[in-house]
Amino acid sequence: MSRGHRTRAAAAVAMTAAAALLLGGCGSGASDHAKDTASPSRTAAGATGTPPDASGSPSGTPSDSASPESGAGQPNSAADAPKVPDAQLTPPGGGNFTAQQKKYLSGRVPRGTDPVAVLEGGQEICDRLTRTSAIDKDAAASAIVSGDITLDGASAAVGGLCPDQQGVVDAARGGFGDGTFTVGAKAAPGTVVVPGGYRAPHTSASCTWRVTGAGGAVLASGRGTGADSPAALTIPAAARGITSSGCYAWLASARTGS
């Protein structure tokens, strides 16, 4: 297991309240055709010691793999495949999808793919966000920031299937996870962070961060105070870079720009 996966797993295990709720694996009942097949290892972010991959599932477990956002930017991925026309979107066993389900599936189902499988992927994301945010909204947003659930996948699922979770997606935008980032005027997920205040709601005992300026000069640095303890930092306008390790996910604590 890579160091990044060990860090995310350790931080996720610390989120005991959220993990306990996720382990329930209850279904949403959003569709008679979309079955909730979630197991503890699929729904609890790292609760069983297996950190989810970027699609929102533990490594090696299919989740929304047929949806465009899961393969966006990859040659010959599902995102590039011809899609089933909206008029032909019907469950293989007969019947019809609801208007809300069709909204999510529109332009998202590659030809030859079971639309129910695609729908289940989106619904699983909604189920995870709903169950987690009911206990800890910061934990739900952190799962998106860290890449346990992709931002694109969460945005699509929330926009089409669970709009009540839009606040979680909004809270995740502009955040950043562990790694090294450039500081700039406009945020770019995974590469650029804007100046401002940030907080890490759930950290590991080894959480550390360092803000650098011109020439690599250290402008600020710090560390967490213990497992699952919150941490805070401020990235000044003069900063040029930020490095974080063991802190899992940073959420904007003040308006930091767009």
Side-chain angles (χ1 to χ4, degrees):
M1 182 180 289
S2 68
R3 179 181 178 184
H5 277 184
R6 288 197 300 270
T7 298
R8 284 188 291 176
V13 168
M15 294 186 285
T16 54
L21 184 65
L22 287 173
L23 283 169
C26 56
S28 68
S31 168
D32 292 337
H33 306 283
K35 302 174 183 178
D36 185 3
T37 57
S39 66
S41 64
R42 294 179 67 186
T43 55
T48 59
T50 305
D53 62 20
S55 68
S57 301
S59 301
T61 303
S63 174
D64 203 22
S65 58
S67 62
E69 63 269 14
S70 65
Q74 300 178 10
N76 302 317
S77 69
D80 303 318
K83 303 303 187 294
V84 176
D86 290 359
Q88 298 177 21
L89 285 173
T90 57
N96 296 288
F97 291 115
T98 67
Q100 186 181 48
Q101 292 166 348
K102 285 184 177 179
K103 178 181 179 182
Y104 174 74
L105 293 172
S106 178
R108 198 175 302 282
V109 183
R111 289 187 180 276
T113 300
D114 182 355
V116 173
V118 177
L119 181 62
E120 285 177 343
Q123 190 60 60
E124 181 178 333
I125 291 174
C126 282
D127 289 347
R128 289 185 63 189
L129 294 178
T130 299
R131 290 195 297 268
T132 307
S133 64
I135 288 272
D136 188 342
K137 286 184 170 59
D138 283 344
S142 294
I144 298 173
V145 170
S146 69
D148 290 349
I149 301 172
T150 65
L151 178 59
D152 285 348
S155 297
V158 168
L161 298 173
C162 50
D164 58 312
Q165 296 301 307
Q166 186 61 51
V168 173
V169 174
D170 292 342
R173 293 188 187 281
F176 62 96
D178 286 327
T180 298
F181 304 85
T182 298
V183 177
K186 184 176 180 62
T191 57
V192 182
V193 175
V194 300
Y198 295 87
R199 56 192 177 85
H202 303 282
T203 69
S204 74
S206 61
C207 171
T208 60
W209 66 89
R210 182 177 69 255
V211 180
T212 55
V218 176
L219 303 182
S221 64
R223 62 175 55 250
T225 58
D228 200 34
S229 62
L233 67 82
T234 298
I235 301 176
R240 296 293 181 269
I242 168 71
T243 297
S244 169
S245 176
C247 303
Y248 187 55
W250 294 92
L251 306 177
S253 57
R255 188 174 182 83
T256 57
S258 58

